[in-house]
């Protein structure tokens, strides 16, 4: 029987919800491109309920305990005395989320002698030291595509919020003011702007598709080029590298995984090549940009705005400069954890566990590391090292 250690974010400060704003979720059975949404044999939760916090338990307790497994759920993940560190040494399976990552460092993986499977209830397994997972024969899987559209919607929202100066204008309304000039002195139309994405995978391409009707000029860079038909349909301009692309753009959105090639990509040098007054949106991973270089670029006007929902570390400390820098639209790491996304990543986690316990292969598209090597989706999009 397995011990499953699950690290989730805290419940709402007012307590676990007794009711919800809406009664149901739209039924979505496949993603763009045809991949089906998760197909577990059963679920023990109500889609649309809060599943990603501690009391939501990803809807896994009944399923695991009925099969004789042990489930430990905690949000306490930092430091030697944390519940996570205390429970890890004899855990067989760790489940964590990018929003509240239990960092599976090489030291922790070495200490977790029984660990065989690390599941990311979401997308982005960079909180797991993939090299160490490979060395120790730990399988790593994530729920590929579960929240890609959720994030793409957040990117589009952030672009519009920054360009239109929405958040400061909303604040004027909340605070009882009516000075139109205060609101519009930094407000523009997105129409006609040059918008580029670093990476055009599931999220990047979904962002491009959603922005095309805004009559913008679309650019992208990626390790692999999109099919010509897609480039023509959306009128895309391909660039060999981020360095080639960003000087042309009014808006840049980052949608690449964090790995050695992308870590620190947006430092002073690359930011210095951007148009004065460009906007940068990063919902991918914080360490793809240099924290202090972004702060400087906002203060000296190189960037007119920065938004996203990814920080390092997470949770971000109260004095993190991105909380107080000017012209930002930051949120905590929420874009991929809407109630809609939670229903998919809870179901996907269950699907992965059902496969694992039954000795069936985990879907190729969910695999990041397996059999001592990058595997499945991971072999395509991740690199190891650094
Ligand atoms: P995909 O794997 O579909 O797409 C990633 C794309 O990045 C691929 O097309 C890949 O290229 C490309 N890429 C990798 N390295 C580079 C590079 N050095 N330069 C340019 N392109 C590169 O992933 P998703 O679109 O689903 O997600 C992207 C990232 O977004 C995730 O890795 C995760 O970190 C983050 N994310 C954030 C969430 C949030 O809540 N904020 C939720 C979900 C994801 P190719 O495959 O062609 O080699």
């Amino acid at each position: 029987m397995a011990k499953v250690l699950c690290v989730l974010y805290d419940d709402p400060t007012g307590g676990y919800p007794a009711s919800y704003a809406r009664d149901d979720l739209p039924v979505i059975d496949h993603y763009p491109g045809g991949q089906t949404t998760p197909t577990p044999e059963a679920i023990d939760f109500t889609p649309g309920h809060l599943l990603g916090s501690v009391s939501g338990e990803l809807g896994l307790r009944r399923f695991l305990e009925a099969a004789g497994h042990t489930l430990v759920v905690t949000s306490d993940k930092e430091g030697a005395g944390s519940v996570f560190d205390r429970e890890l040494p004899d855990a067989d399976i760790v489940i964590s989320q990018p929003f509240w990552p239990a960092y599976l460092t090489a030291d922790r993986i070495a200490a977790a002698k029984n660990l065989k499977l690390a599941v990311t209830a979401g997308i982005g397994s960079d909180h797991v030291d993939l090299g160490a997972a490979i060395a120790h024969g730990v399988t790593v899987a994530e729920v590929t595509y579960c929240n890609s559209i959720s994030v793409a919607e957040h990117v589009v929202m952030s672009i519009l919020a920054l360009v239109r100066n929405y958040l400061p204008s909303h604040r004027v309304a909340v605070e009882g003011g009516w000075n139109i000039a205060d609101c519009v002195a930094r407000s523009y139309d997105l129409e006609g702007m040059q918008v580029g994405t670093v990476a055009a995978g599931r999220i990047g391409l979904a962002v491009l598709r959603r922005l095309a009707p805004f009559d913008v000029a679309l650019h992208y860079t990626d390790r692999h080029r999109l099919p010509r038909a897609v480039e023509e349909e959306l009128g895309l301009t391909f660039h060999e590298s981020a360095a080639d692309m960003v000087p042309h753009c009014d808006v840049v959105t980052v949608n690449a995984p964090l790995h050695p090639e992308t870590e620190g990509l947006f430092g002073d040098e690359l930011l210095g090549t951007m148009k004065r007054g460009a906007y940068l949106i990063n919902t991918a991973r914080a360490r793809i940009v240099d924290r202090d270089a972004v702060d400087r670029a906002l203060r000296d006007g190189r960037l007119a705005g920065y938004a996203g929902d990814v920080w390092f570390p997470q949770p971000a400390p109260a004095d993190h400069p991105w909380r107080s820098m000017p012209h930002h639209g930051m949120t905590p790491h929420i874009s991929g954890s809407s109630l809609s996304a939670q229903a998919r990543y809870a179901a996907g986690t269950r699907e992965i566990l059902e496969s694992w316990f039954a000795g069936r292969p985990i879907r190729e598209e969910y695999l990041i590391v397996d059999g001592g090597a990058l595997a499945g989706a991971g072999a395509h999009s991740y690199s190891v090292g650094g």
Side-chain angles (χ1 to χ4, degrees):
M1 292 300 107
K3 173 176 171 182
V4 181
L5 176 55
C6 185
V7 181
L8 300 175
Y9 47 80
D10 286 312
D11 285 345
T13 46
Y16 192 74
S19 65
Y20 291 88
R22 295 178 52 78
D23 296 327
D24 55 18
L25 297 178
V27 176
I28 294 169
D29 56 16
H30 68 278
Y31 303 111
Q35 181 188 318
T36 58
T37 50
T39 50
E41 288 159 14
I43 55 170
D44 298 318
F45 60 81
T46 305
H49 285 193
L50 183 62
L51 303 166
S53 74
V54 169
S55 295
E57 300 184 323
L58 296 175
L60 291 174
R61 185 168 296 279
R62 197 183 315 166
F63 157 66
L64 289 172
E65 291 184 346
H69 305 298
T70 306
L71 175 65
V72 177
V73 182
T74 183
S75 65
D76 183 19
K77 67 186 181 74
E78 303 298 343
S82 66
V83 173
F84 178 61
D85 268 327
R86 285 206 310 271
E87 298 284 351
L88 186 61
D90 62 344
D92 300 278
I93 297 173
V94 166
I95 302 170
S96 178
Q97 302 169 293
F99 325 106
W100 188 259
Y103 294 104
L104 269 176
T105 58
D107 286 348
R108 277 173 160 166
I109 289 176
K113 300 286 182 221
N114 290 354
L115 185 64
K116 295 169 202 72
L117 174 65
V119 181
T120 302
I123 304 177
S125 296
D126 47 272
H127 60 282
V128 181
D129 185 319
L130 298 182
I134 287 170
H136 287 81
V138 175
T139 295
V140 181
E142 62 186 42
V143 189
T144 304
Y145 232 140
C146 65
N147 55 18
S148 306
I149 302 304
S150 323
V151 178
E153 290 187 2
H154 193 99
V155 173
V156 173
M157 174 187 77
S158 301
I159 291 172
L160 288 169
L162 290 182
V163 173
R164 309 279 324 179
N165 206 36
Y166 169 67
L167 291 168
S169 306
H170 176 66
R171 206 172 307 129
V172 167
V174 168
E175 290 171 356
W178 196 263
N179 193 312
I180 305 294
D182 282 343
C183 303
V184 299
R186 293 184 66 88
S187 174
Y188 298 87
D189 291 353
L190 181 61
E191 184 182 24
M193 287 193 177
Q194 310 286 320
V195 183
T197 176
V198 177
R202 285 173 291 267
I203 297 173
L205 181 57
V207 169
L208 292 168
R209 285 197 181 286
R210 279 155 182 74
L211 286 176
F214 282 88
D215 290 332
V216 291
L218 294 171
H219 303 253
Y220 79 103
T221 181
D222 199 295
R223 298 197 298 195
H224 300 88
R225 205 155 167 173
L226 290 166
R228 181 180 290 269
V230 175
E231 288 190 350
E232 286 175 1
E233 178 197 346
L234 298 174
L236 305 179
T237 303
F238 173 75
H239 301 263
E240 289 291 340
S241 67
D244 287 345
M245 184 184 79
V246 302
H248 301 281
C249 295
D250 303 289
V251 179
V252 173
T253 155
V254 184
N255 298 294
L258 173 67
H259 57 64
E261 287 165 42
T262 56
E263 185 164 1
L265 179 64
F266 281 84
D268 285 317
E269 196 179 333
L270 189 59
L271 290 168
T273 69
M274 295 179 77
K275 283 186 181 178
R276 196 186 79 81
Y279 303 88
L280 182 60
I281 289 84
N282 175 19
T283 51
R285 284 297 177 264
R287 285 185 293 157
I288 296 175
V289 307
D290 177 318
R291 184 192 71 172
D292 297 329
V294 165
D295 186 19
R296 281 191 290 275
L298 285 167
R299 291 183 195 283
D300 72 16
R302 172 64 51 190
L303 289 179
Y306 181 89
D309 68 331
V310 283
W311 309 67
F312 185 80
Q314 291 191 168
D319 63 353
H320 193 294
W322 289 2
R323 293 186 189 267
S324 55
M325 64 191 180
H327 315 306
H328 79 81
M330 292 299 296
T331 61
H333 195 161
I334 58 158
S335 68
S337 200
S338 58
L339 295 175
S340 321
Q342 288 175 42
R344 289 189 292 270
Y345 67 63
T349 301
R350 168 124 178 203
E351 180 188 332
I352 290 168
L353 293 175
E354 285 175 356
S355 301
W356 181 262
F357 290 132
R360 292 193 301 267
I362 294 170
R363 281 201 214 193
E364 275 289 301
E365 57 256 38
Y366 293 163
L367 284 175
I368 305 300
V369 169
D370 194 36
L374 288 173
H380 188 78
S381 295
Y382 284 83
S383 308
V384 175

